[in-house]
Amino acid sequence: MKIERVRLERSSIDLDPPFFAAWDPEPRRSFEATIVFVETDEGLTGIGSGDTMDGFERYEHLFVGTDPLAIERHVAVLETITFHAGRYWPLEAALWDLAGKAAGKPVADLFGGQLMRLPAYASTGEQRSPSERAESALRLRDEGFRALKLRVDRTKLDEGLAAVEAVRAAVGESMEIMVDLNQGWRMPGDTGPSLDHATVVSVAARLRELDVFWLEEPLPRENVKGYAALRHSGLRIAGGEMARTTGELEAFEAADALDVYQPDAVLSVGMLRERELAERVTARGHFFTPHTWTNGIGLLANLHLTAGVGGGPYLEYPYDPQGWTPERRDFMLAEPVRVDAEGFIAVPNRPGLGFELAHDLL
């Protein structure tokens, strides 16, 4: 079997009302997905998504004519490309989808098959008032979630911390709360200063008092020593979601700087390298629970990876109605990825990544 071509299709959905993401200064009025099709000469096709894939066409020739199941080879090629161009890891997701279909197994089984489902945490994205956040948390709990994540804008610390306090008061001990400072990377055009170390230490102390489960990306990702120092505060520290190289993640490992490793399988260093990372860090008692804020296909790629290696204890589930819903996030799928009444996401019991595209998508 050989790769005959790699085809990209782009589709989008208009968001009405728009989604006001806490980490993005511009409201999102549409949402675009690039779908990657790896087509073979035997009629088998793997499908992936998760990032734009802009400019990939000039590298297609590096894959055409090769064995689609030689994934180690393809990952090595993708690693050379990331130095010069974009994050083309959705292609690897498509290759794993194809490999699962060829084997007649879910991708999670190819990664070890340790879990069949994972508890989800509702990962909220919009900036809302403390009272609105408290009300939202109660609704999420009623839907089955037992954990949620709140974003705290570094330019509005008092308001953000007040929201965390309001949610804790509302839910008591019935939900775990994660907090994301979103300081590990920047949206395009954001040149604002990061919070200084002393302020982050103060924030971490307050969050520890509120029994927050982890504090995510409290510092720029290059400040590995700062992350390691924060771990001594008694609060779990999470990060690494947008690491561009395995070297960045290995630096966190060497300094024992993280409790929770979060590289996204379709945005960071890909599924194979993250499997290797997950096996190392979980063996040392740390958590592996990746970032999943792309779309339904990217979410499924991370689900299969995490379930396969036995990661957790939660999987991120981007969800913040009415702004961000499964129907918006997964518009490219025939059926959105959903959480059951107990707050779990099940691994699809179908070959590959286990989804079907929406019939009228392309």
Side-chain angles (χ1 to χ4, degrees):
M1 183 164 55
K2 303 292 184 184
I3 296 176
E4 196 165 59
R5 68 169 176 165
V6 179
R7 178 167 58 89
L8 306 181
E9 295 283 354
R10 293 173 175 85
S11 187
S12 64
I13 182 175
D14 292 332
L15 302 182
D16 184 22
F19 177 60
F20 292 89
W23 62 89
D24 191 343
E26 293 294 327
R28 186 176 296 182
R29 300 183 183 280
S30 65
F31 181 49
E32 181 179 279
T34 300
I35 316 297
V36 183
F37 298 85
V38 177
E39 300 174 347
T40 69
D41 58 357
E42 295 185 7
L44 199 60
T45 298
I47 305 173
S49 186
D51 203 4
T52 65
M53 298 291 292
D54 287 346
F56 173 79
E57 291 84 353
R58 59 188 152 161
Y59 302 109
E60 180 188 6
H61 69 280
L62 298 174
F63 301 93
V64 171
T66 65
D67 179 358
L69 304 183
I71 296 182
E72 182 80 53
R73 179 265 178 196
H74 300 312
V75 168
V77 173
L78 285 167
E79 286 172 331
T80 67
I81 296 173
T82 59
F83 179 82
H84 299 278
R87 299 169 183 257
Y88 296 147
W89 297 109
L91 172 62
E92 188 195 356
L95 290 166
W96 282 110
D97 180 52
L98 195 153
K101 291 172 178 175
K105 296 179 179 181
V107 171
D109 285 1
L110 305 183
F111 279 80
Q114 295 195 40
L115 299 171
M116 294 305 297
R117 64 176 192 159
L118 282 160
Y121 71 85
S123 184
T124 66
E126 293 191 314
Q127 198 75 36
R128 300 185 187 178
S129 70
S131 62
E132 290 172 328
R133 270 290 154 229
E135 293 171 3
S136 170
L138 292 173
R139 289 194 296 270
L140 292 170
R141 186 181 65 181
D142 290 344
E143 291 182 35
F145 290 98
R146 291 296 174 261
L148 81 161
K149 184 163 75 182
L150 305 174
R151 314 224 176 225
V152 172
D153 187 334
R154 70 183 188 277
T155 67
K156 301 175 183 177
L157 276 182
D158 290 343
E159 181 179 341
L161 291 174
V164 180
E165 292 170 0
V167 169
R168 176 54 75 202
V171 304
E173 297 180 357
S174 65
M175 297 184 81
E176 299 285 8
I177 300 173
M178 296 81 159
V179 171
D180 192 348
L181 283 181
N182 277 118
Q183 290 217 118
W185 48 276
R186 289 283 184 270
M187 293 297 290
D190 180 1
T191 59
S194 300
L195 297 175
D196 61 81
H197 189 81
T199 299
V200 173
V201 169
S202 176
V203 169
R206 180 64 187 125
L207 296 177
R208 186 175 64 251
E209 293 172 356
L210 293 169
D211 195 25
V212 164
F213 193 71
W214 75 54
L215 173 59
E216 186 170 330
E217 303 221 306
L219 298 164
R221 68 178 186 270
E222 63 270 15
N223 188 1
V224 176
K225 290 183 178 179
Y227 275 84
L230 273 177
R231 284 197 68 214
H232 297 298
S233 69
L235 181 66
R236 293 183 189 89
I237 302 300
E241 65 183 36
M242 293 283 277
R244 196 167 190 108
T245 67
T246 54
E248 290 181 52
L249 295 165
E250 289 165 357
F252 280 118
E253 286 185 85
D256 203 17
L258 296 176
D259 299 281
V260 186
Y261 286 79
Q262 298 180 299
D264 189 315
V266 294
L267 288 178
S268 183
V269 297
M271 298 178 72
L272 181 65
R273 297 294 180 242
E274 289 180 26
R275 174 189 188 175
E276 297 165 354
L277 171 77
E279 290 172 345
R280 293 196 304 269
V281 300
T282 56
R284 295 187 358 242
H286 299 316
F287 294 150
F288 175 79
T289 178
H291 171 276
T292 69
W293 266 89
T294 54
N295 59 42
I297 298 175
L299 171 58
L300 284 169
N302 281 290
L303 169 61
H304 280 270
L305 168 62
T306 308
V309 301
Y314 297 98
L315 186 77
E316 182 174 38
Y317 186 77
Y319 184 57
D320 201 3
Q322 293 298 317
W324 203 240
T325 62
E327 290 75 18
R328 286 183 162 195
R329 183 195 64 215
D330 304 348
F331 75 91
M332 73 295 302
L333 301 182
E335 177 61 32
V337 181
R338 299 191 187 276
V339 172
D340 67 23
E342 296 179 323
F344 283 76
I345 308 178
V347 174
N349 188 26
R350 296 188 294 274
L353 294 176
F355 64 85
E356 294 183 11
L357 293 176
H359 298 302
D360 58 350
L361 176 67
L362 303 177

